[in-house]
Amino acid sequence: MIKLYFGPGACSFVPHVGVEAIKAATGEEIETQMVKLHKDEQHSPEYLALNPLGQVPLLVVDGQPLNQIVAICDYLDRRFPQAGLLPADSWRRAQAMSLFAWMNNTVHPTFTHIFRSTKFAATEAGQADVRDTAVASFRECLERIQTLVRQAGPFLLGERLSFLDAYALTFLRWGGLGGIDPASLPDYKAYVARVAEQPPVAAAIARERITLETYTAK
Ligand SMILES: N[C@@H](CCC(=O)N[C@@H](CS)C(=O)NCC(=O)O)C(=O)O
């Protein structure tokens, strides 16, 4: 039995899209369980027993927990290659993992500095500085993704939807929350609209009850 724990709008959206794609491609029953991050459910004793890091996503396979997006997605792809969520060819897979690793180890933590600046500076002025610096870095990351989107098509890895598209969609949503107007990244915005229309992505968006419009002009 497989179960994915996710937080609405969080990075767990990446394996969540994968789970929906796998269900559609194979008919496999995979359970999804919402963790309300704003209610701190990720720090409940029951959840911490499964994931001592107190984070989503978490995949539980026959009672065994697995954390970390890249590991979860690699496992899902190897177990259900029919869903085609990562390339099968060794070189193309390595290139995909290279981009996936950058998203996970650079873009994602940059946003953490915007969203959780209190973790990175003690004073309000310091936190504002961390936030402003991180917004500028995050914008550079989004611009790199927009360049990659322009070179690729219709999806980041070409013809097939992959985990990377779900991550890219999540980053543009987060950018909106951080004050980055998606209209200033028009090709990225159009690509995300295209990604959101794909049935597994639309299913995950509906299950998480999230919208793409997160930006509000100041
Ligand atoms: N390195 C982890 C990062 C996971 C992560 O940052 N999860 C965030 C949501 S995007 C979380 O659960 N935050 C809850 C908290 O920090 O309390 C991974 O790749 O899975």
Side-chain angles (χ1 to χ4, degrees):
M1 195 203 115
I2 307 181
K3 184 168 175 178
L4 176 74
Y5 290 80
F6 71 93
C11 54
S12 45
F13 186 76
V14 179
H16 194 176
V17 166
V19 161
E20 293 299 338
I22 290 163
K23 288 195 314 194
T26 66
E28 182 80 20
E29 281 191 28
I30 303 181
E31 220 182 301
T32 52
Q33 166 96 43
M34 191 182 290
V35 180
K36 292 182 182 136
L37 300 179
H38 62 283
K39 292 196 173 163
D40 212 31
E41 288 178 0
Q42 70 278 26
H43 293 118
S44 69
E46 299 77 30
Y47 191 79
L48 286 174
L50 289 170
N51 186 1
L53 299 176
Q55 291 182 326
V56 289
L58 178 74
L59 194 74
V60 178
V61 182
D62 298 331
Q64 299 294 318
L66 178 69
N67 62 48
Q68 301 305 307
I69 295 171
V70 176
I72 291 170
C73 294
D74 181 64
Y75 171 79
L76 288 173
D77 175 65
R78 286 178 194 276
R79 174 141 175 203
F80 303 104
Q82 317 87 300
L85 288 159
L86 286 172
D89 170 77
S90 298
W91 182 247
R92 288 193 55 231
R93 187 181 182 95
Q95 286 178 315
M97 294 311 278
S98 165
L99 184 53
F100 203 176
W102 173 74
M103 287 175 154
N104 188 247
N105 68 25
T106 301
V107 191
H108 185 159
T110 299
F111 184 74
T112 310
H113 283 70
I114 301 173
F115 200 60
R116 295 234 190 274
S117 56
T118 48
K119 277 191 172 178
F120 302 98
T123 65
E124 277 188 23
Q127 289 157 14
D129 201 19
V130 164
R131 237 182 354 259
D132 291 349
T133 310
V135 168
S137 300
F138 194 68
R139 186 175 178 94
E140 281 174 19
C141 294
L142 297 189
E143 279 167 6
R144 178 179 183 224
I145 294 173
Q146 177 165 261
T147 302
L148 295 172
V149 161
R150 284 180 180 144
Q151 292 162 355
F155 303 113
L156 266 178
L157 299 184
E159 291 304 316
R160 289 196 82 140
L161 181 79
S162 74
F163 293 114
L164 279 59
D165 300 302
Y167 227 159
L169 179 151
T170 301
F171 292 146
L172 197 67
R173 285 191 72 254
W174 288 358
L177 296 171
I180 298 174
D181 184 355
S184 66
L185 296 153
D187 292 343
Y188 193 162
K189 188 178 175 201
Y191 150 81
V192 162
R194 193 160 68 235
V195 169
E197 282 172 3
Q198 304 309 303
V201 183
I205 288 174
R207 172 86 173 94
E208 300 201 7
R209 298 190 216 116
I210 56 172
T211 65
L212 295 182
E213 283 77 39
T214 54
Y215 175 73
T216 37
K218 282 191 186 141

